[in-house]
Amino acid sequence: GWQASVKSGSLSYVLPCNRLPVQLIRQVRVYTSNGQKKDLGSEDTNGSTPEETPNKAGTGQDTSSAGQKQPSMKEPIQVKVKAVLKKREYGPKYTQNNFITGVRAINEFCLKSSDLDQLRKIKRRSPHDDTETFTVYLRSDVEAKSLEVWGSPEALARERKRRKEAEIKYRENLFRNQRLLWEYKEFFGNTKPRSSAAAMFFKGPGKVVMVAICINGLNFFFKLLAWVYTGSASMFSEAIHSLADTCNQALLALGISQSARTPDPSHPYGFTNMRYIASLISGVGIFMMGAGLSWYHGIIGLLQPHPIESLLWAYCILAGSLVSEGATLLVAINEIRRSARAKGLSFYQYVVQSRDPSTNVVLLEDAAAVLSVAVAATCMGLTSLTGNPYYDSVGSLGVGTLLGTVSAFLIYTNTEALLGRSIQPEQLQRLTELLESDPVVRAIHDVKATDMGMSKVRFKAEVDFDGRVVTRSYLEKQDIDQLLQEIQQVKTLEELEAFMLKHGENIIDTLGAEVDRLEKDLK
């Protein structure tokens, strides 16, 4: 507010002043009406100025002695102004300092790599783990270089349009080119070297799946012959079981090969979930094909029983199947034990968490196969001893129930994996404690850690950084004496702004480096 004395005739009127309880602890400048400027330093606006005191003291005298004439006094109007920076409109003057990578400069501005060699190169902190720093360019330099190369913005726009049309035409002809390439390979022979996907089937889960495919394929062939010879419902269930295992493991092999594909623009995170998808479809296939047909054949056997021929060959084939299925089961068990030991988990935890879906499917299918062979042999033995064919039909129902249980477990575990379940609470607590114990972190909120499968975890946390620690980390790398000299040389608002912008950007870069360090520690 402001207060001044105005003379009108013989009376002096005092303009009212609303004094706000504001304490100003910054330096203020007083501008008077005659153009003079005074620096009052730090003051308290709750107090009265020297000019206001005589006014307030003489107010009663003015009203009581109206006939007395006061001397004419011209008091200056005082306005207190706080020095603040003007809000800036950030336009091309600021955005021309933006950085751009070499790849974007070549693609967006139609330049060559030789054109970028003449521009200023700036080393920046890399967001990737495999590189420490990477080279960027000033966008203003790239724009100027593109105008120098193409002559005008119109010429650059025409070149961009031409390249876009060429890209569209290339995409339209892509299918035809692939078709021609396939025909050439068929005619001249495919001499492409063995890919990494093929190499996956000679070790780890791929090896387990390939062994299971070969053994289950042979088992299906011999069990089918035994069923044709004997007509046993239990033997038919066993043949169907082996056929379902063979088809499902072929599907697992397809999932393993697809999961090895490199990421593309349509799938930037890759195809690792193809193993879980293949295992899920395999579980559904076991339920529909294995359990369904076994139940159907067992029910038909109960409703329409018929005598069974000699079971000698059936017993021999079941014995051979038990040995082969047991060998495949041992291969799967050894692979899971090795993987669980590497992850620091128990055998049960590794299977339940579906860490390796392909090996889990082989393990459960072969375990079910061994049990179903025992069930089928027992029921067939009871049938041959008693001559009652109902025991054989009950064995078929038992095999179907066992397959249904295995399929339900596979569907559940793979569905949970595809939905994105959290990691173990102990592991999440370790990650949380690692963040909270770091000096640069003041607090963390909304922590989420999702198991993506195939030894990949996506971790997310809202982090409240301690700005003082980040600033100290930056100051430790600076020459304090030189920094003090820069501070002492600041005299104007423009110099203060330049000083703050310079060191503010460096502090933000320091914060980025701290984030990279925390990410590395978490990994």
Side-chain angles (χ1 to χ4, degrees), residues 3-5 12 14 19 48-62 70 73 75:
Q3 181 176 358
S5 174
S12 294
V14 179
R19 292 179 176 79
S48 301
T49 60
E51 292 80 6
E52 293 172 347
T53 306
N55 261 336
K56 291 188 285 186
T59 303
Q61 297 176 1
D62 291 340
Q70 287 187 346
M73 297 178 60
E75 294 184 0

Side-chain angles (χ1 to χ4, degrees), residues 138-195:
L138 282 174
R139 189 180 185 90
S140 56
D141 293 348
V142 174
E143 291 176 351
K145 186 63 178 180
S146 65
L147 293 179
E148 177 186 343
V149 172
W150 296 104
S152 65
E154 293 76 13
L156 177 59
R158 287 194 299 269
E159 178 63 18
R160 286 176 176 172
K161 182 178 179 181
R162 187 190 66 81
R163 293 192 179 189
K164 187 175 182 179
E165 291 176 352
E167 182 180 0
I168 294 175
K169 184 177 180 180
Y170 169 76
R171 289 180 178 178
E172 291 176 350
N173 296 331
L174 183 60
F175 177 76
R176 186 178 64 181
N177 294 336
Q178 291 177 344
R179 178 82 180 193
L180 291 175
L181 182 62
W182 179 78
E183 292 177 356
Y184 282 130
K185 286 182 178 180
E186 288 292 322
F187 183 75
F188 293 105
N190 190 357
T191 58
K192 183 178 179 180
R194 178 179 294 169
S195 62

Side-chain angles (χ1 to χ4, degrees), residues 11-84:
L11 296 177
S12 294
Y13 294 92
V14 179
L15 300 179
C17 174
N18 296 326
R19 292 179 176 79
L20 299 176
V22 178
Q23 298 231 343
L24 187 63
I25 55 176
R26 293 184 178 86
Q27 186 179 14
V28 299
R29 295 172 182 174
V30 179
Y31 293 85
T32 62
S33 58
N34 57 5
Q36 297 179 352
K37 179 175 69 176
K38 297 180 182 180
D39 196 347
L40 299 182
S42 300
E43 66 178 26
D44 189 353
T45 57
N46 284 331
S48 301
T49 60
E51 292 80 6
E52 293 172 347
T53 306
N55 261 336
K56 291 188 285 186
T59 303
Q61 297 176 1
D62 291 340
T63 56
S64 61
S65 57
Q68 295 181 1
K69 200 172 183 181
Q70 287 187 346
S72 176
M73 297 178 60
K74 293 184 178 180
E75 294 184 0
I77 300 175
Q78 297 181 356
V79 181
K80 298 177 182 179
V81 181
K82 184 171 67 175
V84 295

Side-chain angles (χ1 to χ4, degrees), residues 334-354:
N334 291 333
E335 178 63 26
I336 290 179
R337 282 180 176 174
R338 185 186 63 81
S339 301
R341 194 181 305 113
K343 298 294 181 183
L345 300 173
S346 65
F347 184 89
Y348 175 77
Q349 290 176 333
Y350 192 90
V351 173
V352 171
Q353 296 175 16
S354 189

